Amino acid sequence: AGPDPYRYIASGVFNIPITKITSGQRFLGKTCKLALDYQAGWVRFAHTLRIGAFGPPIEITDTLARDIHTAYRATIPMIVRGWKRINNLFQSAFAGKQRLEDKCLAYEGVGNTMWTHLPNGMAIRYDDVRYDREQGNLSYISEYRRNGVKPPTILRTRLYGGICCENNCQSLANVVITEHFVAVLDEVKQAQLVMQTHDEGVFIVPERYGTKLLAA
């Protein structure tokens, strides 16, 4: 229920009624939500728009990208505090080689590996975590090793509160959606889950059970 969130954000950016937002302006609002909510800088924000990562490419000046970035962050103080909170828990768990509970999640540092434990027993694993050093002391986690399926198969990736927040959100969303998939399969025994794309499940079922599957 409620207005399209991407159009709502774009309405604030362009200061025009939500009903007047074009598809290109909506894409800019979508990029704000999917990038700036997770601590992307203005350079990455501008690049994401220009290459059309979430929709049609949009040309944007550096000045406008910086202005939108600054203004948007000012509107989400609770999310900004959330990045810092997650980052502090992450740092403390890794530095102390301890497990710290955080509502339905738990952060745990073991050797050079960081784990974020999910409520269904699965976990997000960050291998070969490294610290940046400041005046000889451990200061903050900076990166981890990400294993890819295509060359180069081993990459170093930045690690910070915003990306940890994004990984948490995506993983918890997957927990929720897969539990729904299991519930559907329990309800309609004849159904088969053949594909999942983000929050979409594709099932096949004999036609005579189609109405039952839709109701499930």
Side-chain angles (χ1 to χ4, degrees):
D4 180 326
Y6 303 144
R7 292 185 183 276
Y8 178 80
I9 293 169
S11 176
V13 171
F14 294 103
N15 194 29
I16 58 178
I18 193 170
T19 55
K20 302 294 184 181
I21 295 299
T22 67
S23 60
Q25 291 168 333
R26 180 186 182 275
F27 165 58
L28 187 143
K30 181 177 182 178
T31 305
C32 285
K33 186 67 178 173
L34 300 182
L36 300 186
D37 266 11
Y38 298 115
Q39 209 175 347
W42 75 263
V43 173
R44 174 61 64 85
F45 172 62
H47 178 69
T48 300
L49 287 170
R50 290 165 182 159
I51 66 172
F54 303 124
I58 291 180
E59 285 301 319
I60 188 171
T61 65
D62 288 352
T63 299
L64 181 56
R66 281 194 297 265
D67 289 346
I68 292 174
H69 177 268
T70 300
Y72 189 82
R73 281 204 179 180
T75 68
I76 55 168
M78 293 182 67
I79 293 177
V80 173
R81 289 196 296 270
W83 302 334
K84 295 177 181 178
R85 179 177 177 275
I86 291 173
N87 191 67
N88 289 339
L89 286 167
F90 208 89
Q91 304 278 2
S92 297
F94 187 76
K97 304 304 177 215
Q98 59 184 323
R99 181 184 175 110
L100 297 177
E101 304 290 333
D102 182 25
K103 297 181 173 62
C104 66
L105 301 173
Y107 303 101
E108 184 176 17
V110 180
N112 289 330
T113 302
M114 261 301 298
W115 300 85
T116 300
H117 298 284
L118 303 172
N120 66 345
M122 298 179 71
I124 308 169
R125 188 180 77 188
Y126 301 89
D127 290 323
D128 193 18
V129 174
R130 293 181 184 173
Y131 271 108
D132 272 350
R133 295 179 179 271
E134 185 175 297
Q135 296 180 349
N137 298 317
L138 296 179
S139 63
Y140 59 92
I141 290 174
S142 64
E143 61 179 23
Y144 70 104
R145 187 188 78 214
R146 180 169 63 85
N147 300 325
V149 295
K150 297 180 180 179
T153 55
I154 297 178
L155 303 170
R156 303 298 304 179
T157 300
R158 290 184 61 210
L159 189 57
Y160 50 93
I163 196 65
C164 295
C165 177
E166 180 177 14
N167 291 343
N168 291 351
C169 290
Q170 298 287 356
S171 297
L172 289 172
N174 186 67
V175 169
V176 172
I177 197 69
T178 51
E179 286 182 353
H180 280 283
F181 292 161
V182 171
V184 168
L185 294 172
D186 286 342
E187 179 71 20
V188 185
K189 302 297 185 182
Q190 299 80 7
Q192 296 181 51
L193 177 67
V194 295
M195 185 175 71
Q196 176 189 356
T197 305
H198 299 296
D199 57 354
E200 177 186 44
V202 179
F203 296 83
I204 58 173
V205 64
E207 188 172 347
R208 63 184 180 277
Y209 296 108
T211 301
K212 184 179 181 182
L213 178 62
L214 287 174

